[in-house]
Amino acid sequence: MTIIDRFEGEYAVLETDSGMKNVLRDMLPEEAREGDVVELKNGAYTVNKKAAEKRRRELREKLKKLQKEN
């Protein structure tokens, strides 16, 4: 899975299964944002909206659980 970790100037920092990777921001779709899951297909990145939303939902649930424990 490849996730957009952050944007730094003209670069996007991607978190991949094999480590961090910098790519030009222009290589990503215009609507891409931090936390999105992206896939490289035929030389172009696309946002996997279903995977991104699932990941956000799971992270929200983990945060709620942690807040309840404290």
Side-chain angles (χ1 to χ4, degrees), residues 14-61:
L14 306 181
E15 181 181 342
T16 71
D17 294 331
S18 59
M20 304 303 270
K21 177 180 180 178
N22 293 334
V23 298
L24 286 172
R25 194 173 191 162
D26 292 345
M27 293 181 66
L28 298 173
E30 195 171 306
E31 75 274 6
R33 61 184 194 173
E34 292 176 357
D36 277 349
V37 176
V38 293
E39 298 173 342
L40 183 60
K41 294 181 182 177
N42 300 321
Y45 284 96
T46 59
V47 175
N48 183 327
K49 292 180 183 183
K50 277 188 171 182
E53 184 52 41
K54 179 181 177 192
R55 183 173 175 277
R56 285 189 178 96
R57 187 172 46 252
E58 289 170 351
L59 290 172
R60 280 193 300 269
E61 290 171 9

